[in-house]
Amino acid sequence: MPDHDALPASGDTPYADLTPDLVLDAIEAFGHRVDGRLLQLNSYENRVFQVGLDDGGMAVAKFYRAGRWTDDQILEEHAFAQELLDAEVPAVPPLPLALVPDRVPADAAAGPPGTVRLMGTPPTLGVLGAHRLALSPRRGGRSPELEDPEVLRWLGRFLARMHTVGARRPFAHRLTMGVAETGRAARDSLAHCPLLPPDQRPQWLAAADQALDLADEAFARVDGLRLRRLHGDCHPGNILWTPEGPHFVDLDDACMGPAVQDFWMLLSGEANERTRQLDALLDGYESVCEFDWRELKLIEPLRTLRLIHHSAWIARRWHDPAFPAAFPWFDSGVYWQQQADALRQQIDLMSRVDDTPSWLID
């Protein structure tokens, strides 16, 4: 997903002071009593915790990475989640917060005005010093069984309902999934990155530039492309399945984009498997709303944008100690050679006379 922040040196380790005590104190300062249970969940970008509440329930606290999103962008994410829920689309909006002055940690309470505040109507984003946080109810579930056509049809109906709500109005502050914001900005941030080895730089840049030009041409060929609010990072890990059906657990990357952005990451396997999966998804989707089939030509361009953006994302976060530990191969020549090879494969796929994905027509 798009990410154009340029963190100052002080933002290299934005969570260094986020101790368990501070996490629990922050939640209590914003009106939710805790019982001491705390479990950190997997998340590279933000810091996310499962928290036990005094009433015996569980909640999920998200501490947003400094500098990534503006306050307005975060509040748009929250409002979209609530709008989906109001339309009876399974979503998990954040809980309302209420400032409890006598529970604010002493050092924050003694800070300058604005050190502790609430934002949103109703308030859903809390600020405590350098940290911004939101609290959501915990929702359980398991991974969807994507080999089951009926599960895929259900997901297709679910996405159609989400996109119907998303088409009502545009985001005013969040980003747009496209070549300029998602691809070229990422390419430019990597062009002089010291983590891109000098002997790999020319071939990677040449492949990236050619791939982005082809992606631009592909978007231009879909005349009148309709953009809408959508999930933006719709992969199986962001979907939880329950007996009542699916729900998304993360709208952190919600953006404006073409509907097909929320489809292609759900497809996997050999060509015939991906075709079968897409058929089932679209069968469910079109039982609720119309799909512009020309958008299928954007699957490989969107995959290309994600390839380039992912590398730029790791590079931007390299000073966060979690990233070298998780991606130790990132600054190696082998990694960048593999990335250049992957982009050349995308170039081949996007250069065909009929740029519909080959696995749909072979």
Side-chain angles (χ1 to χ4, degrees):
M1 269 304 301
D3 181 348
H4 306 302
D5 56 318
L7 294 177
S10 60
D12 288 347
T13 55
Y15 303 112
D17 67 334
L18 194 59
T19 63
D21 284 345
L22 180 57
V23 171
L24 297 175
D25 287 347
I27 295 167
E28 293 221 330
F30 292 120
H32 293 269
R33 299 295 298 269
V34 300
D35 65 8
R37 291 176 292 164
L38 183 68
L39 174 66
Q40 184 167 346
L41 304 178
N42 291 331
S43 177
Y44 289 117
E45 189 61 19
N46 305 300
R47 290 298 179 268
V48 184
F49 302 88
Q50 181 175 285
V51 183
L53 301 180
D54 239 10
D55 62 7
M58 301 293 293
V60 174
K62 178 195 288 187
F63 287 75
Y64 288 88
R65 180 176 289 270
R68 185 185 185 208
W69 300 126
T70 66
D71 297 338
D72 287 335
Q73 288 172 324
I74 294 173
L75 291 173
E76 275 197 323
E77 171 205 339
H78 293 182
F80 185 37
Q82 185 62 54
E83 188 179 350
L84 290 169
L85 188 65
D86 291 343
E88 300 184 346
V89 179
V92 187
L95 296 167
L97 305 177
L99 184 60
V100 183
D102 63 356
R103 294 194 173 274
V104 174
D107 55 346
T115 300
V116 182
R117 65 186 188 278
L118 292 172
M119 288 177 284
T121 308
T124 54
L125 181 63
V127 177
L128 186 71
H131 298 290
R132 295 176 296 173
L133 69 143
L135 194 70
S136 301
R138 187 191 68 170
R139 292 287 185 268
R142 55 180 172 79
S143 298
E145 297 177 1
L146 297 181
E147 66 278 6
D148 183 341
E150 187 49 44
V151 167
L152 291 165
R153 292 187 187 94
W154 200 335
L155 282 172
R157 294 192 296 270
F158 178 44
L159 287 171
R161 294 168 62 201
M162 171 180 280
H163 291 173
T164 299
V165 174
R168 292 175 180 172
R169 64 185 65 85
F171 281 132
H173 303 286
R174 295 191 74 84
L175 304 179
T176 297
M177 176 64 66
V179 177
E181 288 194 60
T182 313
R184 296 200 188 278
R187 177 266 183 213
D188 292 347
S189 72
L190 288 168
H192 303 291
C193 176
L195 298 167
L196 175 51
D199 60 331
Q200 296 295 326
R201 190 182 310 273
Q203 62 173 340
W204 184 87
L205 286 173
D209 288 341
Q210 187 178 355
L212 289 170
D213 287 345
L214 289 168
D216 237 342
E217 294 169 11
F219 271 84
R221 284 194 292 273
V222 185
D223 186 46
L225 177 64
R226 187 179 186 186
L227 305 181
R228 68 195 71 206
R229 294 175 296 170
L230 39 75
H231 187 278
D233 193 27
C234 186
H235 58 75
N238 274 336
I239 301 172
L240 288 180
W241 192 270
T242 71
E244 291 74 39
H247 64 269
F248 284 117
V249 295
D250 189 4
L251 285 171
D252 194 64
D253 287 309
C255 64
M256 296 293 295
V260 75
Q261 169 63 19
D262 280 348
F263 281 85
W264 70 268
M265 281 183 276
L266 297 174
L267 311 177
S268 62
E270 299 298 325
N272 62 331
E273 294 175 285
R274 283 178 283 163
T275 301
R276 176 187 58 79
Q277 293 162 357
L278 184 59
D279 284 346
L281 282 167
L282 290 176
D283 185 40
Y285 192 93
E286 291 211 302
S287 70
V288 176
C289 70
E290 184 178 359
F291 177 77
D292 184 348
W293 286 67
R294 298 176 304 162
E295 290 189 19
L296 296 181
K297 298 176 180 290
L298 300 180
I299 290 177
E300 297 308 333
L302 288 166
R303 192 191 312 276
T304 299
L305 299 183
R306 190 171 180 88
L307 278 170
I308 296 172
H309 179 266
H310 183 71
S311 294
W313 171 66
I314 298 174
R316 289 191 186 102
R317 300 291 182 253
W318 197 248
H319 294 292
D320 182 329
F323 279 74
F327 308 102
W329 30 257
F330 180 71
D331 58 349
S332 71
V334 172
Y335 170 79
W336 290 98
Q337 182 177 352
Q338 291 171 340
Q339 291 301 298
D341 290 343
L343 288 172
R344 282 190 283 268
Q345 291 176 6
Q346 293 304 110
I347 290 167
D348 179 62
L349 292 168
M350 292 187 292
S351 296
R352 303 189 179 204
V353 174
D354 183 345
D355 53 2
T356 301
S358 60
W359 46 273
L360 285 175
I361 58 178
D362 287 349

